[in-house]
Amino acid sequence: MLIQLHSEAPPAEVRRQLQALGLWTRDLKDAEGRVGSMSIQAGSAPVSIEVLRALPGVADVHAPASPHPLVDHARGRPVTLGTTSLNDGPPILIAGPCSIESEAMIHDLASVAATAGATFVRGGAYKPRTSPHQFSGHGEVALTWIREAADAVGLQVVTEVLSENTVEAVARCADMLQIGSRNMQNFALLHAVGRTGIPVLLKRANGASIEEWLLAGEHLLHAGTGTVVFCERGIRGFDPHTRNLLDMGAIAVLRHEFGLPVIADPSHGSGRRDLVVPLALSAVAAGAHGVMVEISRDPSTALSDGPQAILPETLQALSEGLQITEQTP
Ligand code: PEP
Ligand code: MN
């Protein structure tokens, strides 16, 4: 960003005002050696162009055009998912198994989620698995199971859409479509999902910069999605103590710098049941509008992600920690 000074403005005074706002500058001199403008250094505080233009001594401000104008436009807009507001009240809770393993299991866990005050039940019918020999979900029939289970306890459904050819089937059953981390930059899938107009939970790819994540959101909005909820689920770290590195800074940036709806997934973000609650609470402190967690009654027999699934009583404790009101299903 470039700050252009009035010809009579003392550069030191303009620099002082900018520093007071948290902006670090570099002088740009004209042919006569006069400081005619200043560039703003990376890492400076986010301050609106309108505020900068109003400063004494500032003639104009030139900002490069944003590559994600639709995401920028979503800044600060209230977000409602069904009857759930992300802006008023306590953080939202999304809970359910990693994979929908059976009809009975998703009915049981939807009820556990509802009792804990969740507003969405989650669970994968189509599972992206690192090995082709692992359980990859029951497919379309599991979509009907999760829809019925959610309806029975008054919850909404969020479930992953893995490929373009299943967008229609998932859109028929889900209130929010999940784009998994592995598909964050599958632009053809983003466009197909965007065309449904259904809200999207957009997971961050484990190697994506915040800018790339925002641009994935831009693809969705451009294709027709009305609401993109960003989901931080951890990026690849170097330390094997955790499965991923839950990026609290990214949550704070999305909430406080970009004013966007953001949810944390401490289950995939840590891979460890014992860290889910503390990371969920930290994420909300950093600015998350809610959390999504995986649950199981018997994690040792779960067909996917057992080590990170929390028990129903831990979900209840998390809900109390987040000050979510309990529900009677
Ligand atoms: C999931 O939520 O089930 C999932 C596969 O997550 P991610 O895309 O973050 O790995
Ligand atoms: Mn999982």
Side-chain angles (χ1 to χ4, degrees), residues 98 122 127 243 268 294 304-305 308:
C98 177
R122 61 145 289 144
K127 295 300 303 174
R243 177 178 177 182
H268 295 88
E294 291 185 342
S304 56
D305 286 350
Q308 68 196 33

Side-chain angles (χ1 to χ4, degrees), residues 150-168:
D151 289 343
V153 290
L155 294 187
Q156 299 185 71
V157 169
V158 58
T159 190
E160 178 163 355
V161 53
L162 201 55
S163 59
E164 281 171 79
N165 58 8
T166 54
V167 170
E168 247 178 65

Side-chain angles (χ1 to χ4, degrees), residues 71-102:
V71 167
D72 297 343
H73 187 65
R75 176 191 196 92
R77 268 215 312 252
V79 173
T80 307
L81 301 166
T83 53
T84 308
S85 163
L86 247 56
N87 309 85
D88 309 320
I92 69 158
L93 181 60
I94 303 174
C98 177
S99 317
I100 303 164
E101 297 180 14
S102 70

Side-chain angles (χ1 to χ4, degrees), residues 235-245 269-270 272:
I235 50 177
R236 180 152 289 176
F238 60 83
D239 194 313
H241 278 83
T242 53
R243 177 178 177 182
N244 288 300
L245 199 56
S270 67
R272 288 174 48 163

